[in-house]
Amino acid sequence: MSALKGRLLLFTFAILTLFSISWLLSKNLIGSIPVMHAVGLRLWATTAALWLIVAFRERAVWASIPLRSKMPGFFLLSILGFSLYFASSFGALKTLKASDLTMVLATIPGITYLLGFLSRSLGFSWLKFSGVLIVSAAALAFNASGNEGGAVSPAGIALALVAAFSYAVYGLLSKRYLKDLPLLTSLAWVTLISAMTFVPLFVIEPAPLLALNLNDALKVLLLGAACSAPVYVLYQKVLAEGGVLYANAIGLLAPFAVVTGEWLIGAGAALSAVKVIAMAAAVIGITLLFVDASGSTGWHVKRRSPDSRLVRK
């Protein structure tokens, strides 16, 4: 196994593990804290953790970043990947069931591929196309299985699509705005800017913060510092080495991982035939994307000849 494949596998399993823990903790936390307050507090904990690491790991390069020229890019990424994504997805939950929201968010790899192909930042390959198609269909089938149906809010679907589009663009633009920059310092700035957008919410509705108990505060700290901060760093590493399609597809596997874990410990419901087939299909789809990603060079720029145009993979 090549070093690249080994790193991608390690990063993938780490992201899935942290995603699953984060999902379970979040589910427990929002029972006592309003969702948007929980998201804001979690983001502040993530920001604090990243800046603490920067102080020890990247202090020497901190001052070397030309902030005046990079801040617009950081601001755009903070809105697309965090503020707008969270506001839209959780706003959609007001009128959608969680399964409906998850099905819409399952389109993120497909939207990413379409936007990347149209903007010529992603080339066509049968591995990419087949992998995205299979893993997206598997996620849709998995979350549709057992859904009670009923009327679906157009406004909720629209907000969910905004969230999916926002995150897809974030993944594509990360290549442009974070390339050749110190990773931790860049992410610390991006999350700080996003965290600041939650301050007005805290000022307007301070009651949930004042009622925060020690147990919930520890959950927020664990979610933000121990789960989210490493995931954001690992996501950028996977995006850099394996490409945006593979990085965005990993998130689709989190519900599979959570349900599998609950089933293994006997805490989940019995898996239907549709869910089992969808899980098998997801493995096939992500494997195709992994094979494609492990042969890529991420952000590396190749020259085919001295006179040829630069080509990004």
Side-chain angles (χ1 to χ4, degrees), residues 8 14-15 19 27 56 60 126 204 241 271 290:
L8 285 179
I15 289 173
F19 258 152
K27 197 174 175 182
F56 288 97
W126 284 110
I204 295 172
E241 297 196 17
L271 294 177
F290 175 79

Side-chain angles (χ1 to χ4, degrees), residues 6 8 11-12 14 38 51 69 81 122 132 146 153 164 180 186 202 205 231 260 276 292:
L8 285 179
F11 294 159
T12 299
W51 278 109
S69 62
L122 292 176
V132 168
S153 165
D180 298 328
S186 301
F202 295 159
E205 296 184 30
V231 163
T260 302
V276 172
D292 178 81

Side-chain angles (χ1 to χ4, degrees), residues 36 41 62 83-84 156 173 210 231 239 249 259 275 297 310:
M36 292 306 293
L41 288 172
W62 184 355
S83 302
L84 180 59
L173 291 184
L210 299 175
V231 163
L239 193 152
V259 170
K275 286 188 179 292
T297 54
L310 290 176

